[in-house]
Amino acid sequence: MQIEPQAFDRVLSSMCTEPHPVAREAAERFLATNPGDPGTYPTVSALEDEAIERLGEIAGLDEPAGYVASGGTEANVQAVRIARERADSSRPNVVMPESGHFSFRKAADVLGVELRIVPTDDRHRATVEAVRATVDDDTALVIGVAGTTEYGRVDPIPELGEIARSVDAMFHVDAAWGGFVLPFTDYEWHFGHAPVDTMSIDPHKMGQAAVPAGGLLVRSPELLDELAVDTPYLESTSQATLTGTRSGAGVASAVAAMDELWPAGYRRQYVRSQNNAEWLADALKKRGYAVVEPSLPLVAADVDRGTFEALRAKGWRLSRTAADELRIVCMPHVTRTMLASFVGDLDRLEVR
Ligand code: PLP
């Protein structure tokens, strides 16, 4: 059976991308390994330690611990779980801006915590005052997003961290998508300087690793103890991950991609993606669309649903925001030629 995998030449909606060639090659070599059983698969387990060290370096954490998860969803669920385990309250709540990823709804559901959602401001960032007014003594976790799924916006991370501290709650930063671009932007803060306890940062998004390779980072190793369960039948004695058997391919490809691209390759990629996003935003503005400025390489614009469906019918893979705007993610596989062809199709639709 010969089925061709998804081609990327019209994909403008995904937060995943084609893996870098070195990541693809590493993934193939480690397909049959399981970092979930480090006693039996020590080589891939050692690679996972390297992956965490690299991710820590990218995130600016001094003494990072964590693991390579299946993706941002697992990392977010585990962050909520750590906070719930450490909370004193019998009715813990989690406070997140409305721009937070839907994985936190799953987390709240399976972990039985209350999720309090606070509005964002007119720039789509968490409203600090609203977060401050929502936390209380039962707050176990405050969440900030560094690169939101819909608009690529970065919340006021230091301020949110301070609010978390003021009520003895933990602070989680979801940088699942933005983590590999933020070190190259002008944000004056650094993850390492803000009081961040846990972080999601996914190699399989902007990190250009193969799927599945997500990242959960914790500020210090004892936070992982909150997740550990005994593992009687494995060679190792305990496991902190949510899934049991995990992808050695994801781990190996994450290390290969980071070795190859950090920092110069990722910087070049960020500049290229950001320029593409700004070019697209300009092109859409010139055609009369209202555009949400791309602070990271993600563009949203008020393209109506009819036009959107017509573009989809031409093979473009597109998505929409909750506010019903067109949303385009300028991932590494998205080239200027692709965007020009997309805008060309848009123009042809408008003429008719
Ligand atoms: N967090 C953010 C900010 C995301 O954008 C996404 C997915 O796009 C996730 C978490 C979930 O990641 P995954 O789909 O890898 O589980």
mmCIF file of all heavy atoms in Angstrom, residues 281-321:
data_model
loop_
_atom_site.group_PDB
_atom_site.id
_atom_site.type_symbol
_atom_site.label_atom_id
_atom_site.label_comp_id
_atom_site.label_asym_id
_atom_site.label_seq_id
_atom_site.Cartn_x
_atom_site.Cartn_y
_atom_site.Cartn_z
ATOM 1 N N ALA A 281 0.392 40.330 6.296
ATOM 2 C CA ALA A 281 -0.478 41.304 6.969
ATOM 3 C C ALA A 281 -0.632 42.550 6.094
ATOM 4 O O ALA A 281 -1.744 43.060 5.910
ATOM 5 C CB ALA A 281 0.107 41.654 8.341
ATOM 6 N N ASP A 282 0.471 43.029 5.522
ATOM 7 C CA ASP A 282 0.440 44.201 4.642
ATOM 8 C C ASP A 282 -0.411 43.948 3.407
ATOM 9 O O ASP A 282 -1.234 44.786 3.018
ATOM 10 C CB ASP A 282 1.869 44.478 4.149
ATOM 11 C CG ASP A 282 2.509 45.561 4.954
ATOM 12 O OD1 ASP A 282 1.910 45.954 5.973
ATOM 13 O OD2 ASP A 282 3.607 45.995 4.564
ATOM 14 N N ALA A 283 -0.200 42.781 2.809
ATOM 15 C CA ALA A 283 -0.946 42.440 1.583
ATOM 16 C C ALA A 283 -2.446 42.416 1.872
ATOM 17 O O ALA A 283 -3.258 42.887 1.061
ATOM 18 C CB ALA A 283 -0.467 41.092 1.053
ATOM 19 N N LEU A 284 -2.829 41.885 3.026
ATOM 20 C CA LEU A 284 -4.255 41.812 3.363
ATOM 21 C C LEU A 284 -4.809 43.205 3.669
ATOM 22 O O LEU A 284 -5.927 43.551 3.270
ATOM 23 C CB LEU A 284 -4.465 40.856 4.539
ATOM 24 C CG LEU A 284 -4.173 39.373 4.228
ATOM 25 C CD1 LEU A 284 -4.210 38.525 5.501
ATOM 26 C CD2 LEU A 284 -5.157 38.814 3.207
ATOM 27 N N LYS A 285 -3.986 44.009 4.369
ATOM 28 C CA LYS A 285 -4.436 45.374 4.689
ATOM 29 C C LYS A 285 -4.674 46.168 3.403
ATOM 30 O O LYS A 285 -5.662 46.881 3.267
ATOM 31 C CB LYS A 285 -3.385 46.085 5.553
ATOM 32 C CG LYS A 285 -3.608 45.848 7.039
ATOM 33 C CD LYS A 285 -2.710 46.708 7.887
ATOM 34 C CE LYS A 285 -1.403 45.995 8.146
ATOM 35 N NZ LYS A 285 -0.445 46.684 8.972
ATOM 36 N N LYS A 286 -3.748 46.031 2.457
ATOM 37 C CA LYS A 286 -3.887 46.757 1.173
ATOM 38 C C LYS A 286 -5.172 46.362 0.457
ATOM 39 O O LYS A 286 -5.706 47.116 -0.345
ATOM 40 C CB LYS A 286 -2.703 46.438 0.266
ATOM 41 C CG LYS A 286 -1.478 47.250 0.596
ATOM 42 C CD LYS A 286 -0.389 47.031 -0.444
ATOM 43 C CE LYS A 286 0.936 47.579 0.062
ATOM 44 N NZ LYS A 286 2.019 46.615 -0.022
ATOM 45 N N ARG A 287 -5.653 45.178 0.731
ATOM 46 C CA ARG A 287 -6.900 44.714 0.088
ATOM 47 C C ARG A 287 -8.132 45.038 0.938
ATOM 48 O O ARG A 287 -9.220 44.539 0.678
ATOM 49 C CB ARG A 287 -6.801 43.215 -0.188
ATOM 50 C CG ARG A 287 -5.898 42.938 -1.378
ATOM 51 C CD ARG A 287 -5.338 41.551 -1.388
ATOM 52 N NE ARG A 287 -4.490 41.368 -2.571
ATOM 53 C CZ ARG A 287 -3.222 41.788 -2.667
ATOM 54 N NH1 ARG A 287 -2.651 42.418 -1.655
ATOM 55 N NH2 ARG A 287 -2.526 41.593 -3.771
ATOM 56 N N GLY A 288 -7.920 45.804 1.992
ATOM 57 C CA GLY A 288 -9.051 46.325 2.757
ATOM 58 C C GLY A 288 -9.486 45.466 3.943
ATOM 59 O O GLY A 288 -10.499 45.751 4.579
ATOM 60 N N TYR A 289 -8.742 44.422 4.245
ATOM 61 C CA TYR A 289 -9.116 43.590 5.387
ATOM 62 C C TYR A 289 -8.576 44.199 6.685
ATOM 63 O O TYR A 289 -7.481 44.776 6.691
ATOM 64 C CB TYR A 289 -8.550 42.172 5.232
ATOM 65 C CG TYR A 289 -9.150 41.422 4.074
ATOM 66 C CD1 TYR A 289 -8.411 41.209 2.907
ATOM 67 C CD2 TYR A 289 -10.455 40.943 4.136
ATOM 68 C CE1 TYR A 289 -8.959 40.529 1.825
ATOM 69 C CE2 TYR A 289 -11.010 40.259 3.052
ATOM 70 C CZ TYR A 289 -10.254 40.061 1.905
ATOM 71 O OH TYR A 289 -10.809 39.397 0.849
ATOM 72 N N ALA A 290 -9.330 44.032 7.779
ATOM 73 C CA ALA A 290 -8.810 44.413 9.102
ATOM 74 C C ALA A 290 -7.919 43.271 9.580
ATOM 75 O O ALA A 290 -8.319 42.109 9.554
ATOM 76 C CB ALA A 290 -9.962 44.623 10.070
ATOM 77 N N VAL A 291 -6.710 43.623 9.984
ATOM 78 C CA VAL A 291 -5.711 42.607 10.320
ATOM 79 C C VAL A 291 -5.267 42.790 11.771
ATOM 80 O O VAL A 291 -5.080 43.909 12.235
ATOM 81 C CB VAL A 291 -4.480 42.745 9.377
ATOM 82 C CG1 VAL A 291 -3.350 41.830 9.809
ATOM 83 C CG2 VAL A 291 -4.891 42.451 7.935
ATOM 84 N N VAL A 292 -5.134 41.682 12.495
ATOM 85 C CA VAL A 292 -4.542 41.730 13.836
ATOM 86 C C VAL A 292 -3.029 41.676 13.637
ATOM 87 O O VAL A 292 -2.502 40.716 13.074
ATOM 88 C CB VAL A 292 -5.019 40.529 14.691
ATOM 89 C CG1 VAL A 292 -4.382 40.583 16.076
ATOM 90 C CG2 VAL A 292 -6.538 40.509 14.793
ATOM 91 N N GLU A 293 -2.336 42.737 14.072
ATOM 92 C CA GLU A 293 -0.888 42.833 13.830
ATOM 93 C C GLU A 293 -0.154 41.588 14.328
ATOM 94 O O GLU A 293 -0.375 41.145 15.459
ATOM 95 C CB GLU A 293 -0.320 44.069 14.542
ATOM 96 C CG GLU A 293 -0.670 45.382 13.881
ATOM 97 C CD GLU A 293 -0.202 45.472 12.426
ATOM 98 O OE1 GLU A 293 0.825 44.855 12.090
ATOM 99 O OE2 GLU A 293 -0.898 46.137 11.635
ATOM 100 N N PRO A 294 0.735 41.044 13.539
ATOM 101 C CA PRO A 294 1.456 39.837 13.977
ATOM 102 C C PRO A 294 2.639 40.165 14.894
ATOM 103 O O PRO A 294 3.692 40.551 14.418
ATOM 104 C CB PRO A 294 1.948 39.236 12.654
ATOM 105 C CG PRO A 294 2.014 40.368 11.696
ATOM 106 C CD PRO A 294 1.052 41.426 12.156
ATOM 107 N N SER A 295 2.448 40.016 16.212
ATOM 108 C CA SER A 295 3.607 40.248 17.086
ATOM 109 C C SER A 295 4.544 39.050 17.043
ATOM 110 O O SER A 295 5.739 39.174 17.277
ATOM 111 C CB SER A 295 3.186 40.591 18.520
ATOM 112 O OG SER A 295 2.166 39.751 18.973
ATOM 113 N N LEU A 296 4.041 37.873 16.756
ATOM 114 C CA LEU A 296 4.847 36.703 16.420
ATOM 115 C C LEU A 296 4.315 36.247 15.051
ATOM 116 O O LEU A 296 3.309 36.794 14.570
ATOM 117 C CB LEU A 296 4.703 35.617 17.494
ATOM 118 C CG LEU A 296 5.271 35.951 18.886
ATOM 119 C CD1 LEU A 296 5.122 34.758 19.826
ATOM 120 C CD2 LEU A 296 6.716 36.381 18.821
ATOM 121 N N PRO A 297 4.933 35.229 14.421
ATOM 122 C CA PRO A 297 4.560 34.935 13.026
ATOM 123 C C PRO A 297 3.191 34.259 12.835
ATOM 124 O O PRO A 297 3.096 33.118 12.405
ATOM 125 C CB PRO A 297 5.680 34.007 12.538
ATOM 126 C CG PRO A 297 6.696 33.972 13.587
ATOM 127 C CD PRO A 297 6.114 34.481 14.842
ATOM 128 N N LEU A 298 2.138 34.993 13.167
ATOM 129 C CA LEU A 298 0.778 34.477 13.031
ATOM 130 C C LEU A 298 -0.130 35.647 12.666
ATOM 131 O O LEU A 298 -0.090 36.680 13.332
ATOM 132 C CB LEU A 298 0.375 33.874 14.381
ATOM 133 C CG LEU A 298 -0.747 32.843 14.423
ATOM 134 C CD1 LEU A 298 -0.728 32.096 15.737
ATOM 135 C CD2 LEU A 298 -2.082 33.440 14.167
ATOM 136 N N VAL A 299 -0.917 35.492 11.629
ATOM 137 C CA VAL A 299 -1.733 36.601 11.119
ATOM 138 C C VAL A 299 -3.209 36.231 11.213
ATOM 139 O O VAL A 299 -3.603 35.143 10.799
ATOM 140 C CB VAL A 299 -1.390 36.890 9.638
ATOM 141 C CG1 VAL A 299 -2.201 38.061 9.100
ATOM 142 C CG2 VAL A 299 0.107 37.160 9.478
ATOM 143 N N ALA A 300 -4.028 37.151 11.746
ATOM 144 C CA ALA A 300 -5.481 36.960 11.740
ATOM 145 C C ALA A 300 -6.100 38.144 10.997
ATOM 146 O O ALA A 300 -5.627 39.277 11.125
ATOM 147 C CB ALA A 300 -6.024 36.872 13.162
ATOM 148 N N ALA A 301 -7.131 37.869 10.209
ATOM 149 C CA ALA A 301 -7.753 38.932 9.407
ATOM 150 C C ALA A 301 -9.226 38.613 9.199
ATOM 151 O O ALA A 301 -9.632 37.452 9.174
ATOM 152 C CB ALA A 301 -7.048 39.050 8.053
ATOM 153 N N ASP A 302 -10.026 39.693 9.010
ATOM 154 C CA ASP A 302 -11.478 39.492 8.939
ATOM 155 C C ASP A 302 -11.944 39.067 7.539
ATOM 156 O O ASP A 302 -12.825 39.695 6.955
ATOM 157 C CB ASP A 302 -12.211 40.760 9.416
ATOM 158 C CG ASP A 302 -12.080 41.894 8.421
ATOM 159 O OD1 ASP A 302 -11.138 41.843 7.590
ATOM 160 O OD2 ASP A 302 -12.913 42.819 8.442
ATOM 161 N N VAL A 303 -11.366 38.020 7.029
ATOM 162 C CA VAL A 303 -11.787 37.471 5.729
ATOM 163 C C VAL A 303 -13.085 36.685 5.960
ATOM 164 O O VAL A 303 -13.134 35.825 6.845
ATOM 165 C CB VAL A 303 -10.677 36.552 5.158
ATOM 166 C CG1 VAL A 303 -11.153 35.860 3.890
ATOM 167 C CG2 VAL A 303 -9.398 37.362 4.912
ATOM 168 N N ASP A 304 -14.100 37.002 5.173
ATOM 169 C CA ASP A 304 -15.420 36.413 5.451
ATOM 170 C C ASP A 304 -15.453 34.915 5.156
ATOM 171 O O ASP A 304 -14.596 34.373 4.456
ATOM 172 C CB ASP A 304 -16.497 37.133 4.634
ATOM 173 C CG ASP A 304 -16.269 36.908 3.156
ATOM 174 O OD1 ASP A 304 -16.759 35.905 2.616
ATOM 175 O OD2 ASP A 304 -15.537 37.729 2.538
ATOM 176 N N ARG A 305 -16.477 34.287 5.678
ATOM 177 C CA ARG A 305 -16.558 32.830 5.615
ATOM 178 C C ARG A 305 -16.699 32.307 4.178
ATOM 179 O O ARG A 305 -16.138 31.269 3.832
ATOM 180 C CB ARG A 305 -17.736 32.340 6.461
ATOM 181 C CG ARG A 305 -17.502 30.972 7.028
ATOM 182 C CD ARG A 305 -18.470 30.669 8.113
ATOM 183 N NE ARG A 305 -17.809 30.567 9.409
ATOM 184 C CZ ARG A 305 -17.079 29.536 9.787
ATOM 185 N NH1 ARG A 305 -16.866 28.531 8.983
ATOM 186 N NH2 ARG A 305 -16.533 29.495 10.987
ATOM 187 N N GLY A 306 -17.424 33.060 3.335
ATOM 188 C CA GLY A 306 -17.615 32.631 1.943
ATOM 189 C C GLY A 306 -16.264 32.552 1.226
ATOM 190 O O GLY A 306 -15.939 31.560 0.551
ATOM 191 N N THR A 307 -15.474 33.615 1.370
ATOM 192 C CA THR A 307 -14.147 33.652 0.741
ATOM 193 C C THR A 307 -13.270 32.542 1.325
ATOM 194 O O THR A 307 -12.548 31.851 0.601
ATOM 195 C CB THR A 307 -13.495 35.037 1.004
ATOM 196 O OG1 THR A 307 -14.415 36.040 0.589
ATOM 197 C CG2 THR A 307 -12.189 35.182 0.263
ATOM 198 N N PHE A 308 -13.354 32.366 2.621
ATOM 199 C CA PHE A 308 -12.586 31.331 3.324
ATOM 200 C C PHE A 308 -12.900 29.955 2.728
ATOM 201 O O PHE A 308 -11.995 29.184 2.397
ATOM 202 C CB PHE A 308 -12.979 31.408 4.803
ATOM 203 C CG PHE A 308 -12.407 30.337 5.686
ATOM 204 C CD1 PHE A 308 -11.133 30.469 6.224
ATOM 205 C CD2 PHE A 308 -13.156 29.214 6.008
ATOM 206 C CE1 PHE A 308 -10.616 29.487 7.062
ATOM 207 C CE2 PHE A 308 -12.641 28.225 6.842
ATOM 208 C CZ PHE A 308 -11.370 28.364 7.375
ATOM 209 N N GLU A 309 -14.176 29.664 2.551
ATOM 210 C CA GLU A 309 -14.562 28.343 2.020
ATOM 211 C C GLU A 309 -14.095 28.193 0.573
ATOM 212 O O GLU A 309 -13.669 27.109 0.162
ATOM 213 C CB GLU A 309 -16.082 28.135 2.116
ATOM 214 C CG GLU A 309 -16.633 28.017 3.541
ATOM 215 C CD GLU A 309 -15.998 26.884 4.369
ATOM 216 O OE1 GLU A 309 -15.376 25.972 3.793
ATOM 217 O OE2 GLU A 309 -16.104 26.948 5.620
ATOM 218 N N ALA A 310 -14.162 29.285 -0.183
ATOM 219 C CA ALA A 310 -13.710 29.219 -1.584
ATOM 220 C C ALA A 310 -12.207 28.937 -1.647
ATOM 221 O O ALA A 310 -11.733 28.188 -2.500
ATOM 222 C CB ALA A 310 -14.046 30.528 -2.299
ATOM 223 N N LEU A 311 -11.462 29.527 -0.725
ATOM 224 C CA LEU A 311 -10.005 29.273 -0.683
ATOM 225 C C LEU A 311 -9.721 27.832 -0.258
ATOM 226 O O LEU A 311 -8.821 27.179 -0.783
ATOM 227 C CB LEU A 311 -9.326 30.256 0.286
ATOM 228 C CG LEU A 311 -9.252 31.698 -0.221
ATOM 229 C CD1 LEU A 311 -8.960 32.668 0.924
ATOM 230 C CD2 LEU A 311 -8.177 31.826 -1.307
ATOM 231 N N ARG A 312 -10.523 27.345 0.665
ATOM 232 C CA ARG A 312 -10.357 25.940 1.084
ATOM 233 C C ARG A 312 -10.639 25.000 -0.089
ATOM 234 O O ARG A 312 -9.958 23.999 -0.281
ATOM 235 C CB ARG A 312 -11.280 25.620 2.265
ATOM 236 C CG ARG A 312 -10.643 25.972 3.604
ATOM 237 C CD ARG A 312 -11.531 25.593 4.773
ATOM 238 N NE ARG A 312 -11.842 24.165 4.813
ATOM 239 C CZ ARG A 312 -11.039 23.234 5.338
ATOM 240 N NH1 ARG A 312 -9.900 23.575 5.877
ATOM 241 N NH2 ARG A 312 -11.401 21.965 5.326
ATOM 242 N N ALA A 313 -11.642 25.382 -0.883
ATOM 243 C CA ALA A 313 -11.986 24.546 -2.040
ATOM 244 C C ALA A 313 -10.831 24.509 -3.043
ATOM 245 O O ALA A 313 -10.708 23.570 -3.827
ATOM 246 C CB ALA A 313 -13.261 25.075 -2.691
ATOM 247 N N LYS A 314 -9.984 25.532 -3.010
ATOM 248 C CA LYS A 314 -8.808 25.536 -3.885
ATOM 249 C C LYS A 314 -7.643 24.755 -3.271
ATOM 250 O O LYS A 314 -6.529 24.772 -3.799
ATOM 251 C CB LYS A 314 -8.354 26.979 -4.151
ATOM 252 C CG LYS A 314 -9.260 27.710 -5.120
ATOM 253 C CD LYS A 314 -8.732 29.110 -5.354
ATOM 254 C CE LYS A 314 -9.454 29.782 -6.511
ATOM 255 N NZ LYS A 314 -9.197 29.145 -7.801
ATOM 256 N N GLY A 315 -7.886 24.149 -2.138
ATOM 257 C CA GLY A 315 -6.855 23.282 -1.548
ATOM 258 C C GLY A 315 -6.085 23.912 -0.402
ATOM 259 O O GLY A 315 -5.249 23.247 0.214
ATOM 260 N N TRP A 316 -6.345 25.194 -0.101
ATOM 261 C CA TRP A 316 -5.627 25.822 1.022
ATOM 262 C C TRP A 316 -6.153 25.264 2.327
ATOM 263 O O TRP A 316 -7.362 25.158 2.520
ATOM 264 C CB TRP A 316 -5.808 27.352 0.985
ATOM 265 C CG TRP A 316 -5.141 27.963 -0.200
ATOM 266 C CD1 TRP A 316 -5.744 28.424 -1.332
ATOM 267 C CD2 TRP A 316 -3.733 28.130 -0.396
ATOM 268 N NE1 TRP A 316 -4.807 28.880 -2.217
ATOM 269 C CE2 TRP A 316 -3.560 28.724 -1.683
ATOM 270 C CE3 TRP A 316 -2.603 27.863 0.371
ATOM 271 C CZ2 TRP A 316 -2.305 29.023 -2.200
ATOM 272 C CZ3 TRP A 316 -1.347 28.166 -0.141
ATOM 273 C CH2 TRP A 316 -1.211 28.737 -1.409
ATOM 274 N N ARG A 317 -5.266 24.873 3.202
ATOM 275 C CA ARG A 317 -5.652 24.401 4.538
ATOM 276 C C ARG A 317 -5.602 25.615 5.458
ATOM 277 O O ARG A 317 -4.528 26.167 5.726
ATOM 278 C CB ARG A 317 -4.709 23.296 5.039
ATOM 279 C CG ARG A 317 -4.551 22.141 4.065
ATOM 280 C CD ARG A 317 -5.583 21.028 4.227
ATOM 281 N NE ARG A 317 -6.963 21.392 4.170
ATOM 282 C CZ ARG A 317 -7.748 21.314 3.087
ATOM 283 N NH1 ARG A 317 -7.266 20.946 1.928
ATOM 284 N NH2 ARG A 317 -9.021 21.608 3.156
ATOM 285 N N LEU A 318 -6.782 26.042 5.910
ATOM 286 C CA LEU A 318 -6.919 27.299 6.655
ATOM 287 C C LEU A 318 -7.727 27.054 7.921
ATOM 288 O O LEU A 318 -8.484 26.090 7.992
ATOM 289 C CB LEU A 318 -7.672 28.327 5.809
ATOM 290 C CG LEU A 318 -7.070 28.647 4.439
ATOM 291 C CD1 LEU A 318 -8.067 29.450 3.604
ATOM 292 C CD2 LEU A 318 -5.769 29.415 4.608
ATOM 293 N N SER A 319 -7.597 27.957 8.892
ATOM 294 C CA SER A 319 -8.437 27.827 10.085
ATOM 295 C C SER A 319 -8.984 29.192 10.481
ATOM 296 O O SER A 319 -8.568 30.223 9.927
ATOM 297 C CB SER A 319 -7.637 27.211 11.229
ATOM 298 O OG SER A 319 -6.570 28.069 11.550
ATOM 299 N N ARG A 320 -9.914 29.179 11.437
ATOM 300 C CA ARG A 320 -10.541 30.427 11.880
ATOM 301 C C ARG A 320 -10.412 30.582 13.390
ATOM 302 O O ARG A 320 -10.298 29.591 14.115
ATOM 303 C CB ARG A 320 -12.024 30.454 11.468
ATOM 304 C CG ARG A 320 -12.185 30.514 9.969
ATOM 305 C CD ARG A 320 -13.600 30.688 9.526
ATOM 306 N NE ARG A 320 -14.126 32.051 9.558
ATOM 307 C CZ ARG A 320 -13.754 33.013 8.728
ATOM 308 N NH1 ARG A 320 -12.801 32.794 7.838
ATOM 309 N NH2 ARG A 320 -14.306 34.201 8.795
ATOM 310 N N THR A 321 -10.431 31.831 13.855
ATOM 311 C CA THR A 321 -10.389 32.097 15.291
ATOM 312 C C THR A 321 -11.806 31.971 15.856
ATOM 313 O O THR A 321 -12.780 31.917 15.098
ATOM 314 C CB THR A 321 -9.887 33.526 15.575
ATOM 315 O OG1 THR A 321 -10.864 34.437 15.035
ATOM 316 C CG2 THR A 321 -8.538 33.790 14.939
#
